[in-house]
Amino acid sequence: MAISLDHYSENERIFAKQVSNWLHESLNAPFLTVFLNPRQQEILSEMAAQAHISVIFDGGYAQAENKRAIISLEDERKADFKIALLQIDYPAKYFQLHHSTILGSLIHQGIAYERLGDVIFEKENWQLLVDSTLAAFIVQNVTRAGAKKIAFRQIDAAQMLDPQSDEQEKEIIVSSQRIDLLISQNYHFSRAHARDLIESGAIMINWFENDNASYLAKIGDVISTHGYGRIRLIETRGTTNRNKIRLKIGFFGKN
């Protein structure tokens, strides 16, 4: 199975080699992947198309960001993607939950991020989509988010919330679309600190690690900063009188 990986970046190529192994395995039996982020889904789709192999995605609901895939020579639309829905119970009167605290409570238990799907919420209600083989473990063992008590319980998919996005939008003004400038401007800390974060591996561009502070972000790029949140470049809105760039961005997390 000859599939070219030359047009992928170095970090993407590591994942692409894993996809190549999955494609080979699917020649013998349908292969179910872990949860994949949007860029990983795109790479898998591209490579499967080259190999003329079918790929079907499911993340638990239509607008899911993170999805599992079934790779097969046949159409597997009725296959089980092994996704469970968990409700998070907590005393909403006394504290607020956030994506980062929920995911942190699971990572602390040694659960790999790729086994977790979307965190969804509606007002004060939070739910989580997970690999169904981990559902019982999470229910029994994850009882805290930081110092706060929480509880997970598995519920039927029909009880899923109407997912809401917590992304907000704003305009920022920058002299360049370098990621160190974008990060320092959005999170209000020094450019030197932004470079330190980038060089330490705390930054991901389109869900892949990027340690190049001079990378020029493009419209559509998603820049994730560990411990802070992420920003998405939506559009340029021209320039100021001093030739600085007006950018419309979406963001969630710290600001």
Side-chain angles (χ1 to χ4, degrees):
M1 186 185 301
I3 300 175
S4 174
L5 308 182
D6 294 341
H7 62 292
Y8 295 120
S9 68
E10 183 177 349
N11 287 333
E12 290 177 338
R13 208 168 295 158
I14 295 171
F15 174 71
K17 289 177 180 177
Q18 184 178 33
V19 170
S20 182
N21 292 333
W22 292 346
L23 293 173
H24 278 93
E25 289 192 45
S26 74
L27 298 177
N28 300 314
F31 183 87
L32 175 63
T33 72
V34 293
F35 282 98
L36 307 176
N37 64 49
R39 180 54 182 152
Q40 290 173 327
Q41 294 167 36
E42 188 176 2
I43 292 171
L44 171 56
S45 294
E46 292 170 352
M47 293 179 64
Q50 289 187 57
H52 306 289
I53 294 174
S54 171
V55 178
I56 300 172
F57 295 98
D58 194 316
Y61 65 105
Q63 297 80 30
E65 177 176 284
N66 300 292
K67 298 179 180 179
R68 305 190 79 173
I70 291 180
I71 310 169
S72 175
L73 291 175
E74 306 293 335
D75 191 313
E76 297 287 337
R77 294 186 187 278
K78 294 183 179 180
D80 181 6
F81 284 83
K82 299 189 182 303
I83 299 173
L85 178 64
L86 302 181
Q87 177 76 32
I88 305 172
D89 295 325
Y90 71 106
K93 181 179 179 180
Y94 299 106
F95 68 93
Q96 294 181 328
L97 281 180
H98 302 280
H99 281 82
S100 57
T101 52
I102 294 168
L103 293 176
S105 68
L106 297 158
I107 302 299
H108 182 71
Q109 289 288 337
I111 298 171
Y113 187 77
E114 63 189 10
R115 306 287 296 280
L116 307 173
D118 284 11
V119 177
I120 58 181
F121 76 100
E122 183 180 8
K123 297 182 180 178
E124 296 177 342
N125 297 309
W126 291 82
Q127 296 175 345
L128 173 69
L129 292 152
V130 301
D131 182 332
S132 63
T133 62
L134 285 178
F137 174 86
I138 293 172
V139 169
Q140 294 170 13
N141 294 280
V142 184
T143 60
R144 289 188 174 274
K148 308 298 184 181
K149 288 186 177 182
I150 62 171
F152 289 88
R153 57 186 169 89
Q154 187 168 351
I155 59 175
D156 189 85
Q159 297 176 267
M160 184 178 294
L161 300 170
D162 181 16
Q164 297 177 341
S165 172
D166 57 354
E167 182 181 83
Q168 302 177 62
E169 295 182 357
K170 69 177 181 180
E171 182 179 281
I172 61 174
I173 297 174
V174 289
S175 58
S176 163
Q177 290 177 208
R178 285 173 53 119
I179 58 171
D180 57 347
L181 283 172
L182 293 171
I183 292 168
S184 64
Q185 177 74 13
N186 188 66
Y187 299 115
H188 308 293
F189 47 60
S190 71
R191 191 170 170 185
H193 182 49
R195 286 197 295 269
D196 288 342
L197 288 170
I198 294 166
E199 292 169 1
S200 70
I203 306 298
M204 301 185 81
I205 307 292
N206 299 326
W207 297 276
F208 284 92
E209 189 176 310
N210 188 308
D211 60 3
N212 179 11
S214 63
Y215 173 85
L216 291 174
K218 307 179 295 297
I219 298 303
D221 278 355
V222 175
I223 304 168
S224 304
T225 305
H226 181 68
Y228 290 89
R230 75 184 188 192
I231 61 178
R232 177 174 63 91
L233 275 63
I234 299 174
E235 65 180 10
T236 55
R237 291 180 163 176
T239 57
T240 67
N241 293 334
R242 297 185 177 182
N243 288 323
K244 290 192 174 183
I245 304 166
R246 296 183 184 273
L247 280 176
K248 179 182 178 182
I249 65 168
F251 70 94
F252 73 76
K254 297 178 181 178
N255 179 52

